[in-house]
Each structure stands twice: as structure tokens, then as C-alpha cells.
Amino acid sequence: MVAASFVANRVKGVSITPHYCAIQDKDEDYYMQFKLVICGLDSIEARRWINATLVGLVDVDDMDSLKPLIDGGTEGDILDTDDPEHTMWLYHKALHRAKAYDIPGVTYALTQGVIKNIIPAIAATNSVIAASCCNEVFKIASNANPYLTNYMMYSGDDSIYTYTFEHQKKDDCPVCGNLAKTLEVDRSWTLQDLIDQLGERAESWVYSAQRSKSKEPALILSRQVKKPTLRTEKTSLYYQAPPQLEAQTRPNLQKRLVDLVSNGEELAVSDPAFPFTLRFKLSFCR
């Protein structure tokens, strides 16, 4: 609300309606009212949600259902900036590098300032990305010039560098593809083992970056598959809800996968964190 008020005072004639909620709280009708969507999200979960939601809105017989997405988000160290443990971890990493390269001035307070976007350099980077997003919006809305196809990376760590290239569509993309992704599983795994592994592996098929920075893989796993429901074309393996179905399918969690599905069989995984269904073709190994 503060940001909306500031922009309204700065740019005369603009109308901004602030909302204090998660973007996932809005339904499809809400997003259908817009001509295009601009994202300034640092949350990977929110970014992939809005991306999949807009893809899901598309009706080939209704051009108004096509909503261009200009994504100006950031990815890098996925940290809880209010968690002292996360901040301390990053501080020790920064201090170790500072000692190795004889860099003075690295303190815990400085680390807090960087990750909480207090440092002016962060604001400058955000301004560059925001300007780039606005430029793309103008080109799409006015047809004044060809729009970006379809990815621009900006880096300002050591110097200023930009690179533009075209991301190619993957046939096994969980959002817009039409092929199931092959997933190798151990023959000894139970259904519960598979669910646990999905929570750890999810970053391999949802990861994308607008402004990439060095990242620690162990810190990326907190925003992945959380409460999956699994089913095949033949049967439902496990339901998270309602409670009656959860109780009915719960015994399957301790059963071996080889006793529940066949090699090469397709598995559908739905989860509250994803506005789409993940499709896998199971391949048993060992």
C-alpha cells in the first residue's frame, strides 16, 4: 500500500489498487481481467505459480485469454532474511571469501543490509530490471517495436553485463509441454520414498532464472513438492485430501512401487504448490 501510494504521487493519472495477500489467493477470473501481467517477484514458488496459471488460462478459440507475462524476478540464494541462522550462514560464507581475497569490511550488519535490500546497489539493479520490464510492456501494448524473444539476463556483480537469448520450449515441460518426464526410481522404493524424493528433486524441473547469482542447492529445496496427490491412469495411489480418501489410500505409502505401478507407466502428481499436474514416466533401476 505504501508503494502504491508512492507511485500514484510520483506518476500523475495512474490508478493502482493494492492487495495485501498471496497471489495464489486470487482465482482465474481475477487474472482474466488483465491484458498482461508484470512480475517483480523474488519468490520462486509464486513466479512459477503465476507462469503456470497464465498458461492454463489460454483458450485457443479466445485471443483475450492470452496474457503476456513479463517476468522481472530475481533468483539466487533462497534465504529467509528474517532467520538469523540463514543470515549467519551467508555471513560466514562471505567472511571466508573476504579473507581469501583480502577484502575488508565484511560484517554481520553489512550482510543483513545486502540480503534485506538495504544496500543502494540492490535498488539500482531493481531499477534497471523495472525499466526493462516497462520497456517490454510498451512494445507489446503499442507494437512500436519487436518485443524481447524471450530472455534477458542482467548482471552487475563486478561490472555491467547483459545477455539476450531465446529460451526454447521443452516437450516435457510440466507447464506447457505434452510429454511426460522420465523419472528413474529405485526398485526397492516405497511410495513414501518416492514422495520424499519428489520433495528433494523438484528443483530440476521447475528451475529458471531471470537474474542469476551463485546459489547453494541445499537452500533451494524448501519451496518444492509439499503435499502431493499421486495417481496413474488405472488407480489412485495416494490422496492428501479429503480425510476419508487420505485414510483409504494411506496403506499404499508403505507398499513398494513395483507392486503398485508398472515399469514405464505414467504417474500424475498434483500439489497445492503447483497450479498444474506434473507427469512422470517411471523407469525402475537396480
Side-chain angles (χ1 to χ4, degrees):
M1 293 183 180
V2 174
S5 176
F6 176 85
V7 174
N9 290 330
R10 180 75 177 269
V11 184
K12 301 303 180 183
V14 68
S15 176
I16 300 177
T17 304
H19 297 272
Y20 187 73
C21 63
I23 63 172
Q24 294 92 330
D25 293 343
K26 301 295 185 180
D27 58 20
E28 291 187 353
D29 290 339
Y30 174 80
Y31 291 104
M32 277 294 292
Q33 68 180 306
F34 301 110
K35 298 298 182 184
L36 51 80
V37 175
I38 309 172
C39 281
L41 303 166
D42 288 347
S43 165
I44 297 176
E45 182 176 356
R47 290 172 60 196
R48 67 171 180 239
W49 185 91
I50 190 63
N51 175 65
T53 296
L54 295 180
V55 171
L57 289 179
V58 176
D59 180 351
V60 293
D61 296 322
D62 181 8
M63 287 302 296
D64 288 338
S65 67
L66 179 61
K67 313 295 181 184
L69 172 65
I70 296 93
D71 185 359
T74 304
E75 285 186 2
D77 293 322
I78 311 305
L79 298 169
D80 180 353
T81 58
D82 294 320
D83 189 327
E85 184 178 352
H86 287 195
T87 306
M88 185 60 71
W89 176 87
L90 190 60
Y91 164 61
H92 286 304
K93 289 288 185 180
L95 189 62
H96 177 76
R97 186 177 187 278
K99 290 180 179 178
Y101 293 94
D102 195 25
I103 301 173
V106 175
T107 64
Y108 183 83
L110 178 64
T111 304
Q112 280 186 309
V114 172
I115 65 174
K116 287 181 175 290
N117 294 349
I118 299 171
I119 304 303
I122 301 298
T125 300
N126 287 344
S127 297
V128 170
I129 299 302
S132 299
C133 289
C134 291
N135 189 41
E136 292 306 312
V137 170
F138 175 77
K139 290 188 291 184
I140 292 173
S142 67
N143 284 323
N145 277 291
Y147 53 79
L148 178 69
T149 308
N150 51 20
Y151 178 102
M152 187 273 282
M153 182 191 73
Y154 170 82
S155 175
D157 294 342
D158 299 317
S159 58
I160 296 177
Y161 171 78
T162 63
Y163 179 58
T164 301
F165 65 92
E166 182 178 2
H167 267 308
Q168 301 296 321
K169 178 179 177 179
K170 298 178 63 177
D171 291 334
D172 61 353
C173 172
V175 177
C176 63
N178 53 18
L179 295 178
K181 186 179 182 68
T182 299
L183 182 64
E184 291 189 353
V185 296
D186 196 300
R187 297 182 65 87
S188 65
W189 282 3
T190 64
L191 184 60
Q192 182 63 62
D193 292 331
L194 174 61
I195 291 175
D196 294 340
Q197 287 295 316
L198 287 174
E200 295 180 2
R201 291 187 180 189
E203 79 283 357
S204 64
W205 62 77
V206 300
Y207 184 79
S208 63
Q210 260 56 44
R211 281 178 283 154
S212 59
K213 304 172 185 175
S214 60
K215 57 185 180 295
E216 187 73 14
L219 295 175
I220 300 178
L221 305 180
S222 61
R223 296 186 181 274
Q224 311 300 342
V225 174
K226 298 175 180 178
K227 295 182 177 180
T229 290
L230 300 91
R231 60 187 181 278
T232 67
E233 292 182 354
K234 300 177 181 178
T235 185
S236 298
L237 300 179
Y238 180 68
Y239 274 97
Q240 290 282 348
Q244 297 88 341
L245 287 178
E246 194 283 328
Q248 182 180 339
T249 57
R250 191 186 308 153
N252 286 340
L253 293 176
Q254 303 309 317
K255 294 181 180 179
R256 294 196 310 162
L257 284 173
V258 292
D259 297 327
L260 296 171
V261 297
S262 304
N263 189 43
E265 190 170 0
E266 191 169 308
L267 177 71
V269 180
S270 55
D271 188 277
F274 298 86
F276 54 86
T277 298
L278 296 166
R279 296 167 54 212
F280 300 102
K281 183 178 291 186
L282 297 186
S283 175
F284 292 110
C285 59
R286 287 188 288 181

